[in-house]
Amino acid sequence: MLDIAEELNRWVGQGRRFAVATVVAVGGSAPRPPGAALAVDSEGTAIGSVSGGCVEGAVYELCRQALEDGATVLQSFGYSDDDAFAVGLTCGGVIDILVTPVGADATGHPVGAVFATALAAAARGEPAALARITGGPEELRGRALLVRPGGSYEGTLGGHPELDRTAAAEVRALLDAGRTGTVVIGERGSRCGQPLTLFVESSVPPPRMIVFGAIDFASALVTTGKFLGYHVTVCDARPVFATRTRFPDADEIVVDWPHRYLASTATDGRTVLCVLTHDAKFDVPLLETALRLPVAFVGAMGSRRTHEDRERRLREIGVTELELARLHSPIGLDLGARTPQETALSIAAEIVAARRGGSGVPLKGAHTPIHHDGPRAGERQRKRTPAERIGSAA
């Protein structure tokens, strides 16, 4: 849901009533990941998507019904092949959809306040996590808790007083990692008793992409990085090249020696570093620093000869073989790229493959899963019962 938070936050500000359908569990080759959402307002306007088209119509009607009766609904959609007009996923996967009206639910529980706060935080780029009950007693389904990085929380899950405190601690762990997923705890906050399944959506600032080297290939990579959702910084020691005119899409342009800037700026486990200078006086001190940071990706441009020379220089200054193994160089997948735009696509493809665990080989003729976040190939695809969903989450 938080991926459409900016628009939904505007709806809240306009006083519009709406219902949100969120993918809370996925099995097999489902088209959208957990957290994908479709929202429908009282006028019938819809934004977002939960399936890429397969079950959008049915989910739209569920949202309309939720606006009428104020009830939170959990619905599963699986593969349908027997009837050409049946509602189902043609890809063979299974998705569970939680539909929540933003306002009071059927029991009078005010879920709207928590949702409004979560949407406002996400729209401002503030870190927060929204947890909702998707498994357990039906009367608690959809109850929401908003957790902040420091551990403070708003709302209530409606059970034992210890439940909110325990849930907040578990949810905070996912928030700290910037992850969306499920948590299973006991109804009274302990690890025993009837289990409750919480679906947690973490809203964190966009991951950083830092592009070193203000060259024409960098300009294309900046545009591609923005398209992928990164906060993109361009860094170069040469002020004549590092200009807003050359990089209009960049969030930030820094004129500084690359290694000095990298040592002083904030990075984390989602940060992507792309070194495009292919000049030893810039690359070697920069990569010495980069390969010792706990970032997601370090890549460097250059010919194979440049790469071999760069590795030799890095070994001479003490960079270990284990550290060198983290370096993606020459950067990019083999697409036969020639133009800056094609090269940017090649680099972006390798970044996505590294992030998702993809092989980078063509899907045609391969037998690996298309969606690497789903179950392993060969697992049965079928509709699961609520008890099975709870058990598998545990």
Side-chain angles (χ1 to χ4, degrees):
M1 180 190 73
L2 299 181
D3 60 348
I4 53 174
E6 189 171 348
E7 181 63 25
L8 292 183
N9 189 50
R10 282 194 286 268
W11 284 12
V12 171
Q14 295 165 358
R16 296 160 75 173
R17 293 179 58 249
F18 57 92
V20 181
T22 308
V23 178
V24 296
V26 166
S29 184
R32 298 297 309 279
L38 170 73
V40 180
D41 73 359
S42 56
E43 300 300 318
T45 302
I47 60 171
S49 172
V50 292
S51 70
C54 301
V55 298
E56 304 295 305
V59 175
Y60 178 89
E61 293 303 325
L62 286 175
C63 289
R64 297 280 285 177
Q65 184 62 41
L67 284 170
E68 289 184 15
D69 57 29
T72 297
V73 177
L74 182 66
Q75 180 71 47
S76 291
F77 293 93
Y79 179 65
S80 178
D81 190 36
D82 296 333
D83 183 351
F85 297 99
V87 175
L89 300 176
T90 57
C91 57
V94 178
I95 57 174
D96 292 348
I97 304 286
L98 183 69
V99 181
T100 307
V102 177
D105 64 15
T107 66
H109 179 64
V111 297
V114 177
F115 267 70
T117 304
L119 293 171
R124 291 192 297 265
E126 298 173 358
L130 180 67
R132 288 179 281 171
I133 296 177
T134 58
E138 189 171 351
E139 65 271 14
L140 297 181
R141 187 174 297 162
R143 295 291 180 95
L145 195 71
L146 179 67
V147 180
R148 303 282 188 173
S152 62
Y153 57 88
E154 302 172 38
T156 179
L157 299 178
H160 193 274
E162 185 63 23
L163 174 60
D164 291 340
R165 289 191 291 270
T166 302
E170 296 284 346
V171 171
R172 182 184 176 187
L174 285 181
L175 175 60
D176 290 344
R179 291 179 50 212
T180 289
T182 56
V183 171
V184 180
I185 57 179
E187 188 177 358
R188 292 180 176 269
S190 65
R191 287 295 180 182
C192 57
Q194 184 175 1
L196 293 177
T197 301
L198 307 180
F199 177 68
V200 182
E201 291 181 88
S202 293
S203 171
V204 293
R208 296 192 68 188
M209 173 185 284
I210 308 179
V211 180
F212 297 97
I215 62 176
D216 51 354
F217 289 93
S219 179
L221 182 57
V222 167
T223 301
T224 305
K226 290 296 295 178
F227 176 76
L228 292 178
Y230 286 94
H231 180 281
V232 184
T233 299
V234 175
C235 176
D236 197 299
R238 303 164 296 180
V240 67
F241 295 115
T243 66
R244 176 59 61 185
T245 301
R246 286 170 56 85
F247 299 96
D249 293 332
D251 294 291
E252 186 180 20
I253 299 173
V254 175
V255 178
D256 198 353
W257 278 82
H259 71 283
R260 185 166 60 192
Y261 173 69
L262 181 58
S264 64
T265 193
T267 59
D268 60 26
R270 303 179 300 148
T271 301
V272 168
L273 306 177
C274 298
V275 181
L276 308 187
T277 46
H278 49 83
D279 184 331
K281 68 176 178 290
F282 294 119
D283 292 359
V284 173
L286 171 59
L287 289 172
E288 180 186 14
T289 301
L291 292 173
R292 291 168 178 166
L293 290 174
V295 295
F297 181 94
V298 180
M301 177 178 277
S303 67
R304 298 196 184 279
R305 178 179 294 179
T306 298
H307 169 68
E308 291 171 0
D309 178 68
R310 191 161 45 207
E311 282 200 330
R312 177 184 59 80
R313 292 172 183 267
L314 288 168
R315 289 189 182 97
E316 288 175 353
I317 61 175
V319 176
T320 68
E321 294 301 319
L322 187 61
E323 290 166 340
L324 281 174
R326 299 184 57 216
L327 178 60
H328 295 261
S329 176
I331 193 173
L333 298 185
D334 181 10
L335 305 182
R338 292 288 184 181
T339 68
Q341 291 74 21
E342 290 173 346
T343 302
L345 178 62
S346 167
I347 295 171
E350 185 178 23
I351 291 170
V352 172
R355 178 183 179 186
R356 300 297 187 187
S359 65
V361 302
L363 293 174
K364 180 180 179 180
H367 300 285
T368 55
I370 294 177
H371 303 291
H372 286 261
D373 293 336
R376 295 181 297 275
E379 290 186 345
R380 289 188 299 167
Q381 311 299 330
R382 62 178 180 83
K383 183 175 179 179
R384 297 161 295 150
T385 67
E388 287 174 317
R389 288 193 293 272
I390 293 172
S392 62

